[in-house]
Amino acid sequence: MFARYRSVGHRLGERAVLLDRIPASARGAGGALRFGPDGKIYLALDDAANGRTAGSLASYNGKVLRLNADATTPDDRTPFSPIDSPVFRDNLFVAAEAGRHLIRFQFDSNNAERIIAAERLMQDQIGPVRVVAMGPDEALYVASDTALFRLAP
């Protein structure tokens, strides 16, 4: 669950659930939450120990979400999905923990709903890929069970 709390009398109160019912891996849930330089929230989620959810655009698992501070989808996202492709324009990188690789989807620049290519990267080279995110230096950061890798564009 992703929730916001307000300070009420120097205590946490007024809980508002912003995002809920996203499965997590029973073997040890993983994820990351950061505010970007654009003021948006970047939320990386594990693949819930199911490699197929990471490859599905119907699931938030195994992806990086870009959200407004109130957890709504930013107006500049099309087709109104918070799933982000931060490193390369018209690309989406997905951590595939169970498949032990990184998936790269390339979208048609004229139709953001059309995938024109998909490829597996780093297959069995670094172990289970837990999280993928873009750094402030425009590089792609990939975390496995035991290491962090930086991939420059």
Side-chain angles (χ1 to χ4, degrees):
M1 173 178 23
F2 183 50
R4 178 189 71 223
Y5 291 84
R6 294 189 192 269
S7 176
V8 178
H10 303 289
R11 293 179 181 246
L12 292 179
E14 293 185 19
R15 180 180 81 161
V17 176
L18 304 175
L19 199 57
D20 198 8
R21 296 193 176 121
I22 298 174
S25 174
R27 296 179 303 192
L33 176 71
R34 300 284 186 273
F35 273 91
D38 59 357
K40 305 298 183 196
I41 296 172
Y42 288 81
L43 175 63
L45 301 166
D46 70 20
D47 70 355
N50 181 343
R52 285 184 280 193
T53 62
S56 169
L57 293 177
S59 169
Y60 290 155
N61 288 100
K63 299 172 187 71
V64 176
L65 307 183
R66 180 173 170 260
L67 304 162
N68 293 319
D70 63 358
T72 57
T73 301
D75 292 336
D76 62 357
R77 299 300 307 156
T78 57
F80 306 106
S81 170
I83 298 173
D84 196 35
S85 55
V87 176
F88 302 106
R89 187 170 206 65
D90 301 321
N91 283 261
L92 171 68
F93 292 88
V94 179
E97 176 184 356
R100 302 171 64 87
H101 59 273
L102 185 66
I103 303 170
R104 177 184 179 196
F105 293 101
Q106 291 179 285
F107 292 88
D108 184 332
S109 60
N110 296 316
N111 180 356
E113 296 180 18
R114 182 174 172 257
I115 297 173
I116 58 173
E119 64 181 315
R120 290 181 183 193
L121 305 172
M122 304 170 71
Q123 178 74 49
D124 292 322
Q125 293 179 15
I126 64 171
V129 179
R130 298 279 185 180
V131 177
V132 59
M134 184 185 79
D137 59 354
E138 300 286 319
L140 187 67
Y141 288 81
V142 179
S144 72
D145 284 343
T146 59
L148 176 67
F149 300 86
R150 179 181 178 271
L151 306 173

